[in-house]
């Protein structure tokens, strides 16, 4: 199962006010310090200023281009290849700035880094983990980038035989037999009982007591000569016990009766 990467932005633009933000877009109304983020107010522009707005990937059905870079350039600088001017809502009548413009680069997601978030701050503020794009209307614009697409999850590590017996995962199937021209004895499969199938005598070498070594060296005849074969009647006669004492004691009456 693949883990989803953070959602990138699919658009960056300007809105003449919070009410002018198009559906699916979000206006950045406050700075990182918590102050109103009204760009261009008091710089000779009509209206109350502009708000930087962004569009997350969730607002558009996939596949859709994502924002891979954002630039702040002067009006006299030429547009780099692949960059377009950030749109203005509802329409670019007054413009956000007469000196600078915000450029956006949109590309199809291909696993490369994309813009995940934009922030505004005062010019003297430093935002960790963010990259400063430039300054516009008395504010510094910061962006955070990250990978897009999906990241494959790491393959599970193989379990040993002992761990498989304690795990809830099904056991691994045995490997298929090797095919060769000649015949070879089949390999013995591991005991499914694992360590619990071993006894205390497993691995102990067999050794004969020294007192039996002379009989064994002289052949099987001396050993068999010491053996006595008894019939069932002989065994019953040898171990016959009538339980006479027990029966007599049980038949006695209790004292005083």
């Amino acid at each position: 199962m693949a883990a989803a990467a953070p959602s990138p932005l699919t658009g960056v633009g300007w809105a003449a006010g919070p009410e002018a933000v198009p559906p699916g877009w979000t206006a950045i109304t406050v700075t990182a310090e918590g102050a109103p983020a009204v760009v261009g107010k008091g710089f000779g522009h009509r209206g109350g200023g502009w708000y930087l707005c962004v569009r997350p990937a969730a607002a558009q059905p996939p596949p859709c281009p994502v924002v891979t870079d954002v630039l702040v350039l002067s009006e006299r600088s030429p547009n780099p290849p692949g960059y377009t001017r950030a749109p203005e809502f509802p329409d670019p009548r007054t413009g956000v700035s007469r000196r600078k413009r915000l450029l956006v680069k949109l590309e199809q997601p291909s696993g490369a880094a994309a813009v995940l978030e934009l922030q505004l701050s005062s010019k003297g503020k430093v935002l960790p983990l963010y990259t400063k794009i430039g300054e516009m209307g008395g504010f510094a614009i910061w962006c955070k980038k990250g990978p897009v697409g999906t990241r494959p999850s790491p393959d599970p590590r193989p379990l040993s035989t002992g761990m498989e017996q304690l795990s809830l995962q099904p056991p691994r199937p045995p490997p298929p037999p090797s095919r060769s021209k000649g015949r070879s004895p089949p390999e013995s499969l591991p005991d499914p009982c694992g360590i619990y199938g071993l006894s205390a005598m497993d691995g102990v070498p067999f050794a004969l007591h020294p007192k039996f070594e002379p009989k064994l060296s002289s052949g099987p005849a001396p050993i068999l000569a010491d053996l006595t074969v008894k019939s069932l009647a002989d065994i019953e006669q040898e171990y016959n016990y009538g339980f006479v004492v027990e029966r007599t004691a049980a038949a006695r009456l209790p004292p005083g009766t």
Side-chain angles (χ1 to χ4, degrees), residues 55-192:
R55 179 176 57 189
Q60 277 189 304
C64 58
V66 297
V67 179
T68 57
D69 197 16
V70 182
L71 293 177
V72 175
L73 295 179
S74 66
E75 288 287 355
R76 298 181 180 181
S77 300
N79 282 15
Y83 289 80
T84 58
R85 188 162 186 162
E88 301 171 8
F89 308 108
D91 50 50
R93 292 181 180 178
T94 59
V96 182
S97 174
R98 296 179 180 178
R99 298 180 180 179
K100 296 181 180 180
R101 66 189 190 278
L102 189 67
L103 301 179
V104 181
K105 187 175 185 180
L106 293 172
E107 295 179 295
Q108 291 294 334
S110 59
V115 178
L116 307 178
E117 186 182 356
L118 289 181
Q119 284 272 18
L120 294 175
S121 73
S122 60
K123 292 184 178 181
K125 180 72 174 180
V126 176
L127 300 185
L129 304 180
Y130 286 79
T131 302
K132 187 176 181 179
I133 300 173
E135 297 178 357
M136 289 186 68
F139 294 95
I141 304 178
W142 303 79
C143 79
K144 178 186 290 186
K145 292 185 178 182
V148 296
T150 56
R151 297 188 294 268
S153 58
D155 296 333
R157 299 178 61 184
L159 299 177
S160 61
T161 304
M163 291 300 296
E164 280 185 350
Q165 296 165 2
L166 303 178
S167 174
L168 298 179
Q169 298 181 0
R172 291 175 295 178
S178 58
R179 298 180 179 179
S180 58
K181 295 182 179 180
R183 281 192 167 183
S184 60
E187 297 182 359
S188 59
L189 298 177
D191 186 5

